[in-house]
Amino acid sequence: LPSPHEEAILPVARLVRDEWMHTVYRGPADTDNLTQETYEKRDEYRSLMLKEPAVSAAFWSRIASVMNLIPKVHAQDPDNPAEVEVANFVKDAIGACQGGWPHIIGALAAGGLLDGFAVCEMVFDCPGRGKWRNKRWVLKEFAPLDGRFIRFDIDSFKRVVGVRGLKANAGQVFNVDRFAIYSHQQLFNNPFGISQFRAAYRAAKMMESAIKLRIILLQNFTGPFVAFKSASPETRASAMRIVANARSQGFLVCDKNDDFTVTNMASGSDSEFQSAMDDLRKEMYTAICWGYLPFVEGREGSELGNSTVQKSITELGTWRLATGIAEVINRYVVVPLVRNNIADETINFPFVSLGGQNTGDKKAAGDIFEQAKRIGVTLSKKQIQRAMDLEEPNGPEDELREMPTGGMAGAG
């Protein structure tokens, strides 16, 4: 018989589960397709948008901003030497991967931004060299997979329970524990997320069309348009030959009594084309990086708005991406590393964080703690350590104790 607690939640669970059927997710365009995405659009994210300089710069700069963050592994209890030791091991074990921390962060960020989700296959092995040689398992490989050829099996709550490939071993269901799965901009628990390129797709297509029209204009209407007035039908045929030669040779020879005018059909198109290109690039920058002012060149005497505010918004995008990636590493990498290497089940799982506050924010936080100390407020060591983004010492020999009041003794 179910317990009273289980009996209470069963009706709610049935209501939720009846909404979805156990099925294979054929792809991101099947369920929760809130942005009307198609497989053709996903192909164009690669074939069209990545080769556009504005998109490429925004895409890779966002990835680099996350890869540049310093990874830290924190013990749940910094005062417990055993948990600190496990946290240090996890940091070494993840860093032992081919490419290290930057490769792991970059692989998850690139797939998430491009496709809306990233799937990376993990390989654990016992190292043959180094501190943990023949002692513990470490992360050896972290291989990103092309999202175009990945499908998921999901349960009634849209949780991924299996991974299928469409190329090698097509149709075979692989255990989800072998993969790290990141869903970017996830809505309604959709494992496929939403691509960062989706909001920039319209501008990219319009830019492609504008460039094609521009080429047609340059090929057909860039040269001068010559209007030749001929009074008699007898000279009209010769006039047409003269005008045709003028377009091909760049000059014409006529009688002084002939009347002709030269008109530039492309006048004014340069500025309009450039203005359209600038607007489309701004739209793509905004869609991918949540702002464009930090990425444009300033011009003397021109005010482009509050770039400080724009910069803070773009930093929010980096923070959001870094938080999601850290959560994936905690769930799919840290947990199996600890479970397979640490027999003591009383040891809590450490957790990963990426980056931290900038120097100005740290100084402001330090001033607040200092003022609180002066008025007698009891401070938390753990709170200060996290607020100031300070790492736990790597053992007693790594501890830096407070220096005596008198300072260091002078030489001699």
Side-chain angles (χ1 to χ4, degrees):
L1 293 176
S3 65
H5 177 68
E6 292 176 342
E7 191 174 16
I9 67 172
L10 278 177
V12 179
R14 281 197 296 267
L15 288 175
V16 175
R17 291 170 182 168
D18 287 345
E19 184 181 356
W20 304 100
M21 296 181 60
H22 293 267
T23 183
V24 176
Y25 238 168
R26 290 187 299 162
D30 291 345
T31 305
D32 291 346
N33 190 8
L34 306 177
T35 61
Q36 303 302 310
E37 195 172 45
T38 63
Y39 295 106
E40 291 75 19
K41 290 177 182 178
R42 284 188 168 253
D43 288 337
E44 287 186 311
Y45 293 163
R46 295 162 169 78
S47 63
L48 170 64
M49 300 180 69
L50 277 180
K51 64 184 180 183
E52 163 56 38
V55 175
S56 179
F59 174 71
W60 292 111
S61 64
R62 173 51 59 88
I63 295 175
S65 68
V66 183
M67 293 175 63
N68 187 50
L69 299 177
I70 299 175
K72 297 182 176 64
V73 182
H74 308 272
Q76 292 284 355
D77 184 4
D79 296 325
N80 187 339
E83 293 199 3
V84 173
E85 180 186 357
V86 171
N88 294 329
F89 159 70
V90 168
K91 185 173 184 179
D92 293 341
I94 297 177
C97 168
Q98 183 74 23
W101 283 92
H103 168 72
I104 296 173
I105 298 170
L108 292 171
L113 293 173
L114 182 61
D115 288 326
F117 68 100
V119 181
C120 298
E121 186 174 2
M122 300 180 296
V123 177
F124 296 94
D125 197 2
C126 193
R129 298 179 63 87
K131 181 179 180 181
W132 308 109
R133 176 178 178 269
N134 297 329
K135 294 181 180 179
R136 292 179 176 177
W137 294 88
V138 299
L139 182 64
K140 182 179 180 181
E141 295 288 345
F142 196 81
L145 306 179
D146 192 339
R148 293 176 298 174
F149 310 109
I150 296 297
R151 299 295 181 264
F152 294 147
D153 285 5
I154 60 171
D155 63 9
S156 53
F157 291 104
K158 293 186 287 185
R159 294 172 298 197
V160 179
V161 295
V163 177
R164 297 173 184 258
L166 300 184
K167 281 193 170 181
N169 302 314
Q172 182 177 349
V173 182
F174 294 94
N175 192 326
V176 69
D177 292 336
R178 296 178 55 179
F179 305 90
I181 302 174
Y182 167 58
S183 300
H184 182 63
Q185 299 184 137
Q186 188 180 53
L187 284 176
F188 310 121
N189 206 31
N190 180 10
F192 282 99
I194 300 176
S195 170
Q196 197 77 23
F197 280 12
R198 183 65 186 96
Y201 179 78
R202 177 185 64 181
K205 290 295 288 185
M206 292 179 64
M207 178 176 288
E208 180 189 34
S209 299
I211 292 175
K212 290 180 179 178
L213 292 173
R214 177 68 172 172
I215 293 174
I216 295 174
L217 176 65
L218 294 175
Q219 291 176 342
N220 296 278
F221 301 103
T222 301
F225 183 81
V226 181
F228 197 104
K229 296 181 181 179
S230 177
S232 63
E234 292 77 10
T235 60
R236 193 165 300 164
S238 61
M240 293 178 63
R241 289 193 298 271
I242 293 174
V243 172
N245 292 334
R247 297 230 2 133
S248 61
Q249 299 177 2
F251 67 92
L252 59 84
V253 179
C254 60
D255 189 84
K256 64 179 182 179
N257 296 322
D258 294 332
D259 185 14
F260 66 92
T261 57
V262 180
T263 305
N264 184 8
M265 299 295 291
S267 61
S269 63
D270 292 339
S271 60
E272 294 173 0
F273 174 78
Q274 187 60 47
S275 176
M277 292 294 102
D278 291 343
D279 289 341
L280 293 174
R281 289 192 175 100
K282 290 177 182 178
E283 182 176 335
M284 289 187 291
Y285 265 126
T286 304
I288 298 174
C289 291
W290 294 9
Y292 66 89
L293 291 185
F295 301 93
V296 299
E297 296 180 359
R299 295 185 294 273
E300 184 177 359
S302 64
E303 296 296 334
L304 296 178
N306 191 340
S307 59
T308 302
V309 175
Q310 291 269 344
K311 184 174 183 294
S312 66
I313 293 176
T314 60
E315 288 176 347
L316 282 177
T318 301
W319 168 84
R320 187 179 187 276
L321 183 59
T323 302
I325 291 175
E327 182 181 352
V328 170
I329 296 175
N330 287 326
R331 177 180 178 184
Y332 294 100
V333 184
V334 173
V335 170
L337 277 174
V338 175
R339 282 180 175 170
N340 293 321
N341 288 287
I342 309 300
D344 188 356
E345 295 185 356
T346 63
I347 300 295
N348 293 310
F349 293 109
F351 62 94
V352 173
S353 66
L354 298 178
Q357 296 175 326
N358 59 40
T359 305
D361 292 338
K362 290 181 182 179
K363 187 177 184 303
D367 293 340
I368 294 175
F369 289 132
E370 185 66 29
Q371 294 175 9
K373 182 180 179 181
R374 290 174 184 171
I375 63 176
V377 176
T378 302
L379 301 177
S380 166
K381 174 185 174 182
K382 184 180 295 187
Q383 180 189 11
I384 295 176
Q385 202 166 25
R386 292 185 179 179
M388 300 297 291
D389 199 27
L390 301 175
E391 293 187 4
E392 295 87 1
N394 188 8
E397 68 281 357
D398 190 40
E399 294 182 0
L400 181 63
R401 298 292 183 177
E402 184 177 359
M403 296 180 61
T405 307
M408 297 179 62

Coordinates of all heavy atoms in Angstrom, one line a residue, residues 211-287:
I211 N 22.5 41.6 -49.5 CA 23.8 41.5 -50.2 C 23.6 41.0 -51.7 O 24.3 41.5 -52.6 CB 24.8 40.6 -49.4 CG1 25.2 41.2 -48.1 CG2 26.0 40.2 -50.3 CD1 26.0 40.3 -47.2
K212 N 22.7 40.0 -51.8 CA 22.4 39.5 -53.2 C 21.9 40.6 -54.1 O 22.2 40.8 -55.2 CB 21.5 38.3 -53.1 CG 22.1 37.1 -52.5 CD 21.1 36.0 -52.5 CE 21.7 34.7 -51.9 NZ 20.7 33.6 -51.8
L213 N 20.9 41.4 -53.5 CA 20.4 42.5 -54.3 C 21.4 43.6 -54.6 O 21.4 44.2 -55.7 CB 19.2 43.2 -53.5 CG 17.9 42.3 -53.4 CD1 16.9 42.9 -52.5 CD2 17.3 42.0 -54.7
R214 N 22.3 43.8 -53.6 CA 23.4 44.7 -53.8 C 24.3 44.3 -55.0 O 24.7 45.1 -55.8 CB 24.2 44.8 -52.6 CG 25.4 45.8 -52.6 CD 25.0 47.2 -52.8 NE 26.2 48.1 -52.7 CZ 26.1 49.4 -52.9 NH1 25.0 49.9 -53.3 NH2 27.2 50.1 -52.8
I215 N 24.6 43.0 -55.1 CA 25.4 42.5 -56.2 C 24.7 42.7 -57.5 O 25.3 43.1 -58.5 CB 25.7 41.0 -56.0 CG1 26.6 40.9 -54.7 CG2 26.4 40.4 -57.2 CD1 26.9 39.4 -54.4
I216 N 23.4 42.5 -57.6 CA 22.6 42.7 -58.8 C 22.7 44.2 -59.2 O 22.9 44.5 -60.4 CB 21.2 42.3 -58.6 CG1 21.1 40.8 -58.4 CG2 20.3 42.7 -59.8 CD1 19.7 40.2 -58.1
L217 N 22.6 45.1 -58.2 CA 22.7 46.5 -58.5 C 24.0 46.9 -59.0 O 24.1 47.6 -60.0 CB 22.4 47.3 -57.2 CG 22.5 48.8 -57.3 CD1 21.4 49.4 -58.2 CD2 22.4 49.4 -55.9
L218 N 25.1 46.3 -58.4 CA 26.4 46.7 -58.9 C 26.7 46.2 -60.3 O 27.4 46.8 -61.0 CB 27.5 46.1 -57.9 CG 27.5 46.7 -56.5 CD1 28.5 46.0 -55.6 CD2 27.8 48.2 -56.5
Q219 N 26.2 45.0 -60.6 CA 26.4 44.4 -61.9 C 25.7 45.1 -63.0 O 26.1 45.2 -64.1 CB 26.1 42.9 -61.9 CG 27.0 42.1 -61.0 CD 26.6 40.6 -60.9 OE1 25.4 40.3 -61.2 NE2 27.5 39.7 -60.6
N220 N 24.5 45.6 -62.7 CA 23.6 46.1 -63.8 C 23.4 47.6 -63.8 O 23.2 48.2 -64.9 CB 22.2 45.5 -63.7 CG 22.3 44.0 -63.9 OD1 22.3 43.5 -65.0 ND2 22.3 43.2 -62.8
F221 N 23.6 48.3 -62.7 CA 23.3 49.7 -62.6 C 24.3 50.6 -62.0 O 24.1 51.8 -61.8 CB 22.0 49.9 -61.8 CG 20.8 49.2 -62.3 CD1 20.4 48.0 -61.7 CD2 20.1 49.6 -63.5 CE1 19.3 47.3 -62.2 CE2 19.0 48.9 -63.9 CZ 18.6 47.8 -63.3
T222 N 25.5 50.0 -61.8 CA 26.6 50.8 -61.2 C 27.1 51.8 -62.3 O 27.4 53.0 -62.0 CB 27.7 49.9 -60.8 OG1 27.2 49.0 -59.8 CG2 28.9 50.8 -60.2
G223 N 27.3 51.4 -63.5 CA 27.8 52.3 -64.6 C 26.8 53.4 -64.9 O 25.6 53.3 -64.6
P224 N 27.2 54.4 -65.6 CA 26.3 55.5 -66.0 C 25.3 55.0 -67.0 O 25.5 54.2 -67.9 CB 27.2 56.5 -66.6 CG 28.4 55.8 -67.0 CD 28.6 54.6 -66.1
F225 N 24.1 55.5 -66.9 CA 23.0 55.3 -67.8 C 23.0 56.5 -68.8 O 22.8 57.6 -68.4 CB 21.7 55.2 -67.1 CG 20.5 54.9 -68.0 CD1 20.3 53.6 -68.4 CD2 19.7 55.9 -68.5 CE1 19.2 53.3 -69.2 CE2 18.6 55.6 -69.3 CZ 18.4 54.3 -69.7
V226 N 23.2 56.2 -70.1 CA 23.3 57.2 -71.1 C 22.0 57.3 -71.9 O 21.4 56.3 -72.4 CB 24.4 56.9 -72.1 CG1 24.5 58.0 -73.2 CG2 25.7 56.7 -71.4
A227 N 21.4 58.6 -72.0 CA 20.2 58.9 -72.8 C 20.7 59.7 -73.9 O 21.2 60.8 -73.8 CB 19.2 59.6 -71.9
F228 N 20.5 59.2 -75.2 CA 20.9 59.8 -76.4 C 19.7 60.3 -77.2 O 18.8 59.4 -77.5 CB 21.8 58.9 -77.2 CG 22.6 59.5 -78.3 CD1 24.0 59.7 -78.1 CD2 22.0 60.0 -79.5 CE1 24.7 60.3 -79.1 CE2 22.7 60.6 -80.5 CZ 24.1 60.7 -80.3
K229 N 19.6 61.5 -77.5 CA 18.4 62.1 -78.2 C 18.8 62.2 -79.7 O 19.8 62.9 -80.0 CB 18.0 63.4 -77.7 CG 17.5 63.3 -76.2 CD 17.1 64.7 -75.7 CE 16.6 64.6 -74.3 NZ 16.1 65.9 -73.7
S230 N 18.0 61.6 -80.5 CA 18.3 61.6 -82.0 C 17.0 62.2 -82.6 O 15.9 61.7 -82.4 CB 18.6 60.3 -82.5 OG 18.8 60.3 -83.9
A231 N 17.2 63.2 -83.5 CA 16.1 63.9 -84.1 C 15.5 63.1 -85.3 O 14.3 63.1 -85.6 CB 16.5 65.2 -84.6
S232 N 16.3 62.3 -86.0 CA 15.9 61.6 -87.2 C 16.0 60.1 -87.0 O 16.9 59.6 -86.4 CB 16.7 62.1 -88.4 OG 18.0 61.7 -88.2
P233 N 15.0 59.4 -87.7 CA 15.1 57.9 -87.6 C 16.4 57.4 -88.3 O 16.9 56.3 -87.9 CB 13.9 57.4 -88.4 CG 13.0 58.6 -88.3 CD 13.8 59.8 -88.4
E234 N 17.0 58.1 -89.2 CA 18.1 57.6 -89.9 C 19.3 57.5 -89.0 O 20.2 56.6 -89.1 CB 18.5 58.6 -91.1 CG 17.5 58.6 -92.2 CD 16.2 59.4 -91.9 OE1 16.3 60.1 -90.9 OE2 15.3 59.3 -92.6
T235 N 19.4 58.4 -88.0 CA 20.6 58.4 -87.1 C 20.4 57.6 -85.8 O 21.2 57.4 -85.0 CB 21.0 59.8 -86.7 OG1 19.9 60.4 -86.1 CG2 21.4 60.6 -88.0
R236 N 19.1 57.1 -85.7 CA 18.8 56.4 -84.4 C 19.5 55.1 -84.3 O 20.0 54.7 -83.2 CB 17.3 56.1 -84.4 CG 16.8 55.7 -83.0 CD 15.3 55.8 -82.9 NE 14.9 57.2 -83.2 CZ 13.6 57.5 -83.5 NH1 12.7 56.6 -83.6 NH2 13.3 58.8 -83.7
A237 N 19.7 54.3 -85.4 CA 20.4 53.0 -85.3 C 21.9 53.3 -85.0 O 22.5 52.5 -84.2 CB 20.3 52.3 -86.6
S238 N 22.5 54.3 -85.6 CA 23.9 54.5 -85.3 C 24.0 55.1 -83.9 O 25.0 54.8 -83.2 CB 24.4 55.6 -86.3 OG 23.7 56.8 -86.2
A239 N 23.0 55.8 -83.4 CA 23.1 56.3 -82.0 C 23.1 55.1 -81.0 O 23.8 55.1 -80.0 CB 21.9 57.2 -81.7
M240 N 22.3 54.1 -81.3 CA 22.3 52.9 -80.4 C 23.6 52.2 -80.3 O 24.1 51.8 -79.3 CB 21.2 51.9 -80.8 CG 19.8 52.5 -80.7 SD 18.5 51.4 -81.3 CE 18.7 50.0 -80.2
R241 N 24.3 52.1 -81.5 CA 25.6 51.5 -81.5 C 26.6 52.4 -80.7 O 27.5 51.9 -80.0 CB 26.1 51.4 -82.9 CG 25.4 50.3 -83.7 CD 26.1 49.9 -85.0 NE 26.2 51.1 -85.9 CZ 25.2 51.4 -86.8 NH1 24.2 50.6 -86.9 NH2 25.4 52.4 -87.6
I242 N 26.5 53.7 -80.8 CA 27.4 54.6 -80.1 C 27.2 54.4 -78.6 O 28.2 54.3 -77.8 CB 27.2 56.0 -80.5 CG1 27.6 56.2 -82.0 CG2 27.9 57.0 -79.6 CD1 27.2 57.6 -82.5
V243 N 26.0 54.4 -78.1 CA 25.7 54.2 -76.7 C 26.2 52.8 -76.2 O 26.7 52.7 -75.1 CB 24.2 54.4 -76.4 CG1 23.9 54.0 -75.0 CG2 23.8 55.8 -76.7
A244 N 26.0 51.8 -77.0 CA 26.4 50.5 -76.6 C 28.0 50.4 -76.4 O 28.5 49.8 -75.5 CB 26.0 49.4 -77.6
N245 N 28.7 51.1 -77.4 CA 30.1 51.2 -77.3 C 30.6 52.0 -76.1 O 31.6 51.7 -75.4 CB 30.7 51.8 -78.5 CG 30.5 50.8 -79.7 OD1 30.4 49.6 -79.6 ND2 30.5 51.4 -80.9
A246 N 29.8 53.0 -75.7 CA 30.1 53.8 -74.6 C 30.1 53.0 -73.3 O 30.9 53.2 -72.4 CB 29.2 55.0 -74.5
R247 N 29.1 52.1 -73.1 CA 29.0 51.3 -71.9 C 30.2 50.3 -71.8 O 30.6 50.0 -70.7 CB 27.7 50.5 -71.9 CG 26.5 51.5 -71.8 CD 25.5 51.2 -70.8 NE 25.6 50.2 -69.9 CZ 25.3 50.4 -68.6 NH1 25.1 51.6 -68.2 NH2 25.4 49.4 -67.7
S248 N 30.6 49.8 -72.9 CA 31.6 48.7 -72.9 C 33.0 49.3 -72.9 O 33.9 48.8 -72.3 CB 31.5 47.8 -74.1 OG 31.6 48.5 -75.3
Q249 N 33.2 50.5 -73.6 CA 34.5 51.1 -73.8 C 34.8 52.2 -72.8 O 35.9 52.6 -72.6 CB 34.7 51.5 -75.2 CG 34.6 50.4 -76.2 CD 34.8 50.9 -77.6 OE1 34.9 52.1 -77.9 NE2 34.7 50.0 -78.6
G250 N 33.7 52.8 -72.2 CA 33.9 53.9 -71.3 C 33.9 55.3 -71.9 O 34.1 56.3 -71.2
F251 N 33.7 55.4 -73.2 CA 33.7 56.7 -73.9 C 32.8 56.6 -75.1 O 32.5 55.5 -75.6 CB 35.1 57.2 -74.2 CG 35.7 56.4 -75.3 CD1 35.6 56.7 -76.7 CD2 36.5 55.2 -75.0 CE1 36.2 56.0 -77.7 CE2 37.1 54.5 -76.0 CZ 36.9 54.8 -77.3
L252 N 32.4 57.7 -75.7 CA 31.6 57.8 -76.9 C 32.1 59.0 -77.7 O 32.6 60.0 -77.2 CB 30.1 57.8 -76.6 CG 29.6 59.0 -75.8 CD1 29.3 60.2 -76.7 CD2 28.3 58.6 -75.1
V253 N 31.9 58.8 -79.0 CA 32.2 59.9 -80.0 C 30.9 60.3 -80.7 O 30.3 59.4 -81.3 CB 33.3 59.4 -81.0 CG1 33.6 60.6 -82.0 CG2 34.6 59.0 -80.3
C254 N 30.6 61.5 -80.7 CA 29.4 62.0 -81.3 C 29.5 63.4 -81.9 O 30.6 64.0 -81.7 CB 28.2 62.0 -80.3 SG 28.5 63.1 -78.9
D255 N 28.5 63.8 -82.7 CA 28.6 65.1 -83.3 C 28.2 66.2 -82.3 O 27.5 65.9 -81.3 CB 27.6 65.1 -84.5 CG 27.7 66.4 -85.3 OD1 28.6 66.4 -86.2 OD2 27.0 67.4 -85.0
K256 N 28.7 67.4 -82.5 CA 28.5 68.4 -81.5 C 27.0 68.8 -81.4 O 26.6 69.4 -80.4 CB 29.3 69.7 -81.9 CG 29.0 70.3 -83.2 CD 29.8 71.5 -83.5 CE 29.4 72.2 -84.8 NZ 30.3 73.4 -85.0
N257 N 26.2 68.5 -82.4 CA 24.8 68.8 -82.4 C 24.0 67.7 -81.7 O 22.8 68.0 -81.5 CB 24.3 69.0 -83.8 CG 25.0 70.3 -84.5 OD1 25.2 71.3 -83.8 ND2 25.3 70.1 -85.8
D258 N 24.6 66.6 -81.4 CA 23.8 65.5 -80.7 C 23.6 65.9 -79.3 O 24.4 66.5 -78.6 CB 24.6 64.2 -80.8 CG 24.7 63.7 -82.3 OD1 23.8 64.0 -83.0 OD2 25.6 63.0 -82.6
D259 N 22.5 65.4 -78.7 CA 22.1 65.7 -77.4 C 22.0 64.4 -76.6 O 21.3 63.5 -76.9 CB 20.7 66.4 -77.3 CG 20.4 66.9 -75.9 OD1 21.3 66.9 -75.0 OD2 19.2 67.2 -75.7
F260 N 22.8 64.3 -75.5 CA 22.8 63.1 -74.6 C 23.0 63.6 -73.2 O 23.7 64.6 -72.9 CB 23.8 62.1 -75.1 CG 25.3 62.5 -74.9 CD1 25.9 62.2 -73.7 CD2 25.9 63.2 -75.9 CE1 27.2 62.6 -73.5 CE2 27.2 63.7 -75.7 CZ 27.9 63.3 -74.5
T261 N 22.5 62.7 -72.3 CA 22.7 63.0 -70.8 C 23.2 61.7 -70.2 O 22.9 60.6 -70.6 CB 21.4 63.4 -70.2 OG1 20.4 62.4 -70.4 CG2 20.9 64.7 -70.7
V262 N 24.0 61.8 -69.1 CA 24.5 60.7 -68.4 C 23.9 60.7 -67.0 O 24.1 61.7 -66.3 CB 26.1 60.7 -68.3 CG1 26.6 59.5 -67.5 CG2 26.6 60.7 -69.7
T263 N 23.3 59.6 -66.5 CA 22.6 59.5 -65.2 C 23.2 58.4 -64.4 O 23.3 57.2 -65.0 CB 21.1 59.3 -65.4 OG1 20.6 60.4 -66.2 CG2 20.4 59.4 -64.1
N264 N 23.5 58.6 -63.2 CA 24.0 57.5 -62.3 C 22.7 56.9 -61.6 O 22.1 57.5 -60.7 CB 24.9 58.1 -61.2 CG 25.5 57.0 -60.3 OD1 25.3 55.8 -60.6 ND2 26.2 57.4 -59.3
M265 N 22.4 55.7 -62.0 CA 21.2 55.0 -61.5 C 21.4 54.6 -60.0 O 20.4 54.3 -59.3 CB 20.8 53.8 -62.4 CG 20.5 54.2 -63.8 SD 19.0 55.2 -63.9 CE 17.8 54.0 -63.5
A266 N 22.6 54.4 -59.6 CA 22.9 53.9 -58.2 C 23.1 55.0 -57.2 O 23.6 54.8 -56.2 CB 24.0 53.0 -58.3
S267 N 22.8 56.2 -57.6 CA 23.0 57.4 -56.6 C 22.2 57.2 -55.4 O 21.0 56.9 -55.4 CB 22.7 58.7 -57.3 OG 21.3 58.7 -57.7
G268 N 22.9 57.4 -54.2 CA 22.2 57.3 -52.9 C 22.1 55.9 -52.4 O 21.6 55.7 -51.2
S269 N 22.4 54.9 -53.1 CA 22.3 53.5 -52.7 C 23.3 53.1 -51.7 O 23.1 52.3 -50.8 CB 22.3 52.6 -53.8 OG 23.5 52.6 -54.5
D270 N 24.5 53.7 -51.7 CA 25.6 53.3 -50.8 C 25.2 53.5 -49.4 O 25.4 52.7 -48.5 CB 26.9 54.0 -51.2 CG 27.4 53.6 -52.5 OD1 27.1 52.5 -53.0 OD2 28.2 54.4 -53.1
S271 N 24.8 54.7 -49.1 CA 24.4 55.1 -47.7 C 23.3 54.3 -47.2 O 23.2 53.8 -46.0 CB 24.2 56.6 -47.5 OG 23.1 56.9 -48.4
E272 N 22.3 54.0 -48.0 CA 21.1 53.3 -47.6 C 21.5 51.8 -47.3 O 21.0 51.2 -46.3 CB 20.0 53.3 -48.7 CG 19.4 54.7 -48.9 CD 18.5 54.8 -50.0 OE1 18.3 53.7 -50.7 OE2 18.0 55.9 -50.3
F273 N 22.3 51.3 -48.2 CA 22.8 49.9 -48.0 C 23.6 49.7 -46.7 O 23.4 48.8 -45.9 CB 23.6 49.4 -49.2 CG 24.2 48.1 -49.0 CD1 23.5 46.9 -49.2 CD2 25.6 48.0 -48.7 CE1 24.1 45.7 -49.1 CE2 26.2 46.7 -48.6 CZ 25.4 45.6 -48.7
Q274 N 24.5 50.7 -46.5 CA 25.3 50.6 -45.3 C 24.5 50.8 -44.0 O 24.7 50.1 -43.0 CB 26.4 51.7 -45.3 CG 27.4 51.6 -44.2 CD 28.2 50.3 -44.2 OE1 28.6 49.8 -45.3 NE2 28.3 49.6 -43.1
S275 N 23.5 51.6 -44.1 CA 22.6 51.8 -42.9 C 21.8 50.5 -42.6 O 21.7 50.2 -41.4 CB 21.6 53.0 -43.2 OG 20.7 53.1 -42.1
A276 N 21.4 49.9 -43.7 CA 20.6 48.6 -43.5 C 21.6 47.6 -42.9 O 21.2 46.8 -42.0 CB 20.0 48.1 -44.8
M277 N 22.8 47.5 -43.4 CA 23.7 46.5 -42.8 C 24.0 46.8 -41.4 O 24.1 45.8 -40.5 CB 25.0 46.5 -43.6 CG 24.9 46.0 -45.1 SD 24.5 44.3 -45.2 CE 22.8 44.4 -45.6
D278 N 24.2 48.0 -41.0 CA 24.5 48.4 -39.6 C 23.3 48.0 -38.7 O 23.5 47.4 -37.6 CB 24.8 49.9 -39.5 CG 26.1 50.3 -40.1 OD1 26.9 49.4 -40.4 OD2 26.3 51.5 -40.4
D279 N 22.1 48.2 -39.1 CA 20.9 47.9 -38.3 C 20.8 46.4 -38.1 O 20.5 45.9 -37.1 CB 19.7 48.4 -39.0 CG 19.6 49.9 -38.9 OD1 20.3 50.5 -38.0 OD2 18.8 50.5 -39.6
L280 N 21.1 45.6 -39.2 CA 21.0 44.1 -39.1 C 22.1 43.6 -38.2 O 21.9 42.6 -37.5 CB 21.1 43.5 -40.5 CG 19.9 43.9 -41.4 CD1 20.2 43.3 -42.9 CD2 18.6 43.3 -40.9
R281 N 23.3 44.1 -38.3 CA 24.4 43.7 -37.5 C 24.1 44.0 -36.0 O 24.4 43.2 -35.1 CB 25.7 44.3 -37.9 CG 26.2 43.8 -39.2 CD 27.7 44.2 -39.5 NE 28.2 43.6 -40.7 CZ 28.3 44.2 -41.8 NH1 27.8 45.4 -42.0 NH2 28.7 43.6 -42.9
K282 N 23.5 45.1 -35.7 CA 23.1 45.5 -34.4 C 22.1 44.5 -33.8 O 22.1 44.1 -32.7 CB 22.6 46.9 -34.3 CG 23.6 48.0 -34.5 CD 23.0 49.3 -34.5 CE 24.0 50.4 -34.8 NZ 23.4 51.8 -34.9
E283 N 21.2 44.1 -34.7 CA 20.1 43.2 -34.3 C 20.7 41.8 -33.9 O 20.3 41.2 -32.9 CB 19.1 43.0 -35.4 CG 17.9 42.1 -35.0 CD 16.8 42.1 -36.1 OE1 16.7 43.1 -36.9 OE2 16.1 41.1 -36.2
M284 N 21.7 41.4 -34.7 CA 22.3 40.1 -34.5 C 23.2 40.1 -33.2 O 23.2 39.2 -32.4 CB 23.1 39.6 -35.7 CG 22.3 39.2 -36.9 SD 23.2 38.5 -38.3 CE 24.1 39.9 -38.8
Y285 N 23.9 41.2 -33.0 CA 24.7 41.3 -31.8 C 23.8 41.3 -30.6 O 24.1 40.6 -29.6 CB 25.5 42.7 -31.9 CG 26.9 42.6 -32.4 CD1 27.3 43.4 -33.4 CD2 27.8 41.7 -31.8 CE1 28.6 43.3 -33.9 CE2 29.1 41.6 -32.3 CZ 29.5 42.4 -33.3 OH 30.8 42.3 -33.8
T286 N 22.7 42.1 -30.7 CA 21.8 42.1 -29.5 C 21.2 40.8 -29.2 O 21.1 40.4 -28.1 CB 20.7 43.1 -29.8 OG1 21.3 44.4 -30.1 CG2 19.8 43.3 -28.6
A287 N 20.8 40.0 -30.3 CA 20.2 38.7 -30.1 C 21.2 37.7 -29.4 O 20.8 36.9 -28.6 CB 19.7 38.1 -31.4

